[in-house]
Amino acid sequence: MAEDKNENTEEKIITAANEIFEKKGYDGAKMQEIADKAGINKALLHYYFRSKDKLFEMIFAMAFNRLAKEMDFLFNADMSLEDKITVFVDKHADFLSKNRHLPLFIVNEVNRRPEMFVNIFSKLYEKDDRLKKILAQIEKEKKAGRLKDVDLRQVMINLISMNVFPFAAKPLVKGLFRMDEAEFNKFIQDRKKIVTETIINSIVIK
Amino acid sequence: MAEDKNENTEEKIITAANEIFEKKGYDGAKMQEIADKAGINKALLHYYFRSKDKLFEMIFAMAFNRLAKEMDFLFNADMSLEDKITVFVDKHADFLSKNRHLPLFIVNEVNRRPEMFVNIFSKLYEKDDRLKKILAQIEKEKKAGRLKDVDLRQVMINLISMNVFPFAAKPLVKGLFRMDEAEFNKFIQDRKKIVTETIINSIVIK
DNA sequence: TTATGATTTAACTGTTTGGTTATACCGAAT
DNA sequence: ATTCGGTATAACCAAACAGTTAAATCATAA
């Protein structure tokens, strides 16, 4: 089947392009390098994706969706708020360990070309009721007197900040505290408990 | 005085190069664009800084020092821990408002060329007793029974994460919560109190 | 006045890069 | 056996880019 080969090559390109774009950004990535990493030649690369821009836009959209899907859990899972936070921190840290460059890549390219990201973003969230869902959950618990009267958005940003930043700034963290790789990994593991507690502490009335 | 003009031009170059490198990163920045923004020509730009690399290294070192100096406060100020945190969050948020691209720039380039940053970093902190200083303060307060037994390093990273991330991810935050510029700024102002409380809450025994 | 360093102009070099094209090869379906 | 899409090779083009050079101008200090 020709289609089979076709998909394989396309996947090889996507995998290679993803790695290189994530690590080096749009400007740092070179088509030749992507072709090399995919094990094909430049002509074929352009045969599949006509231009660097088109290739990049697809990679970016896929990366963004991967990240957004990871966040979905926060909105959809059917759990108590505390459990939700605990499980999310755990899942998210593991996800980030395996996707070291993803968040920085997204943040970077979104800053560099905000207009490009607006499209993807509004497609993803235009008919979105997830934010409302979790807001409802919170409001209910607030009325039950279990939660402090805090802005949920701030808490969400706190949660994501504390999760993402140490990975993005990994070399700085390692340098500042003079950690080797093992120490850094332990530091990340230890964070799970601390971040969870910090967040829950900041919203639950004791 | 020739020296005077000299310095002026050098300053003009540094200012321009700083803006462009911070906004676009090493790969995205072009020497011609820097020359244009400085109001001079490419020949003169190379006359002052022989290569893009040399120019970049100077800009990066300066930017890094600016950021490090801002952090110094955390280590040196003669205040109670709570006051220190409160004032730091306040100062830091204002600093970041005025230096939108600085932290992302640093994080990016440190990831892209970790070896370059190791030099600057160790020069800055090699005979450093600041970490020890604040550690001593913490230990004292722990023994006094006022503080939880938490890893200070984790708390520091939490603090910096919550401060920096919303600025770095500004377009994402605005998009997610559908904020305009004014709403975002209010959001940032409101964060000061929330971040301060969250951090203090996470370390002080009540 | 002259010498010197700062600055401009403009052309140029060499290299990298995105993208194209022509030609041929190969495997599989018809 | 032929056709066709996927793939390789290799040469090529045009633009962008870092960096250089030569010649001229300008300001100013000696």
Side-chain angles (χ1 to χ4, degrees):
Chain A
M1 239 183 296
E3 203 171 310
D4 220 305
K5 258 188 190 170
N6 196 321
E7 273 186 334
N8 275 329
T9 300
E10 198 169 325
E11 271 169 33
K12 265 159 41 185
I13 293 175
I14 288 173
T15 304
N18 188 70
E19 271 182 53
I20 292 181
F21 276 131
E22 271 192 27
K23 209 177 295 177
K24 309 199 169 182
Y26 181 86
D27 291 317
K30 307 297 161 190
M31 292 299 266
Q32 185 62 59
E33 203 189 342
I34 293 173
D36 290 347
K37 174 153 270 180
I40 58 165
N41 51 0
K42 218 177 34 159
L44 193 60
L45 179 56
H46 281 281
Y47 177 79
Y48 274 85
F49 298 87
R50 263 179 299 175
S51 69
K52 188 183 182 183
D53 276 278
K54 289 214 190 304
L55 178 57
F56 177 80
E57 269 167 42
M58 142 151 289
I59 296 297
F60 179 83
M62 287 177 60
F64 191 87
N65 285 332
R66 235 185 312 146
L67 196 63
K69 201 177 154 196
E70 197 65 19
M71 299 291 162
D72 253 24
F73 170 83
L74 207 53
F75 300 107
N76 283 326
D78 202 12
M79 297 181 183
S80 77
L81 203 58
E82 281 97 329
D83 285 351
K84 208 178 250 190
I85 291 166
T86 307
V87 175
F88 177 75
V89 170
D90 190 66
K91 263 172 55 81
H92 202 210
D94 291 341
F95 174 76
L96 290 171
S97 292
K98 283 173 206 137
N99 292 273
R100 270 265 292 127
H101 300 96
L102 182 56
L104 195 51
F105 171 64
I106 301 285
V107 166
N108 257 312
E109 300 301 336
V110 158
N111 270 292
R112 204 121 13 205
R113 298 164 65 166
E115 72 290 350
M116 171 194 60
F117 132 87
V118 167
N119 299 325
I120 299 168
F121 194 79
S122 41
K123 263 181 212 158
L124 203 57
Y125 289 103
E126 58 190 355
K127 44 186 179 176
D128 183 40
D129 61 340
R130 276 171 291 192
L131 218 63
K132 283 174 198 158
K133 236 184 193 168
I134 194 169
L135 265 166
Q137 179 176 14
I138 299 278
E139 283 309 314
K140 209 167 135 191
E141 306 218 31
K142 268 188 194 167
K143 274 180 192 143
R146 259 177 28 78
L147 295 187
K148 295 179 190 169
D149 186 27
V150 288
D151 184 345
L152 166 74
R153 302 172 309 170
Q154 301 278 6
V155 178
M156 278 185 60
I157 297 299
N158 288 349
L159 181 53
I160 295 169
S161 299
M162 288 192 280
N163 276 343
V164 167
F165 184 81
F167 286 96
K170 177 174 172 178
L172 285 171
V173 173
K174 283 176 73 173
L176 179 61
F177 298 134
R178 293 173 172 71
M179 294 171 174
D180 60 25
E181 192 65 20
E183 287 170 321
F184 180 79
N185 287 332
K186 183 170 184 315
F187 187 75
I188 291 294
Q189 287 305 314
D190 291 347
R191 281 188 71 69
K192 289 181 177 178
K193 195 181 164 215
I194 289 159
V195 170
T196 305
E197 282 176 0
T198 301
I199 290 292
I200 291 179
N201 239 320
S202 76
I203 54 173
V204 172
I205 296 173
K206 277 165 305 186
Chain B
M1 237 182 296
E3 203 171 310
D4 219 305
K5 258 191 188 171
N6 196 320
E7 273 186 332
N8 276 330
T9 300
E10 199 169 323
E11 272 169 31
K12 264 157 45 183
I13 293 176
I14 288 173
T15 305
N18 188 69
E19 273 183 51
I20 291 181
F21 275 131
E22 272 193 25
K23 209 178 295 178
K24 309 199 169 183
Y26 181 85
D27 290 318
K30 309 296 162 189
M31 293 298 268
Q32 185 60 60
E33 202 188 344
I34 293 173
D36 290 347
K37 173 152 270 179
I40 58 165
N41 50 6
K42 217 177 35 159
L44 192 59
L45 179 55
H46 277 97
Y47 176 79
Y48 274 86
F49 297 87
R50 262 180 302 177
S51 68
K52 187 183 182 182
D53 276 278
K54 289 216 191 301
L55 178 56
F56 177 80
E57 268 167 42
M58 142 151 290
I59 296 296
F60 179 83
M62 286 176 62
F64 191 88
N65 285 333
R66 236 185 311 148
L67 197 62
K69 202 177 155 198
E70 196 64 21
M71 300 291 161
D72 254 23
F73 170 84
L74 207 52
F75 301 107
N76 283 326
D78 202 12
M79 297 182 183
S80 78
L81 204 57
E82 281 97 329
D83 284 352
K84 208 178 251 190
I85 291 166
T86 307
V87 176
F88 177 76
V89 170
D90 190 65
K91 266 171 54 81
H92 202 212
D94 291 342
F95 173 76
L96 291 171
S97 292
K98 282 172 206 138
N99 293 273
R100 271 265 293 126
H101 300 96
L102 183 57
L104 196 50
F105 171 65
I106 301 286
V107 166
N108 257 313
E109 300 301 336
V110 158
N111 270 291
R112 201 118 19 203
R113 297 165 63 168
E115 73 290 350
M116 170 196 59
F117 132 88
V118 168
N119 299 326
I120 299 168
F121 194 80
S122 41
K123 262 180 213 159
L124 202 59
Y125 289 103
E126 57 190 355
K127 46 188 176 170
D128 183 40
D129 61 340
R130 277 171 291 193
L131 218 62
K132 283 174 199 158
K133 236 184 196 170
I134 192 170
L135 264 166
Q137 179 175 15
I138 297 279
E139 282 309 314
K140 208 168 138 194
E141 306 219 30
K142 266 187 195 168
K143 274 180 191 143
R146 258 177 29 78
L147 294 187
K148 296 179 190 171
D149 186 28
V150 288
D151 185 345
L152 167 75
R153 302 172 308 169
Q154 300 278 6
V155 178
M156 278 186 61
I157 297 299
N158 288 348
L159 181 54
I160 296 170
S161 299
M162 288 192 281
N163 275 345
V164 167
F165 184 81
F167 286 98
K170 178 174 172 179
L172 284 172
V173 173
K174 283 176 74 173
L176 180 60
F177 298 134
R178 292 174 173 69
M179 293 171 174
D180 61 24
E181 193 66 20
E183 286 170 321
F184 180 79
N185 288 332
K186 184 170 185 313
F187 188 75
I188 291 295
Q189 288 305 315
D190 291 347
R191 280 188 72 69
K192 289 180 178 178
K193 194 181 165 216
I194 289 160
V195 170
T196 305
E197 282 175 0
T198 300
I199 289 293
I200 292 180
N201 238 320
S202 76
I203 54 173
V204 172
I205 296 172
K206 279 164 308 188

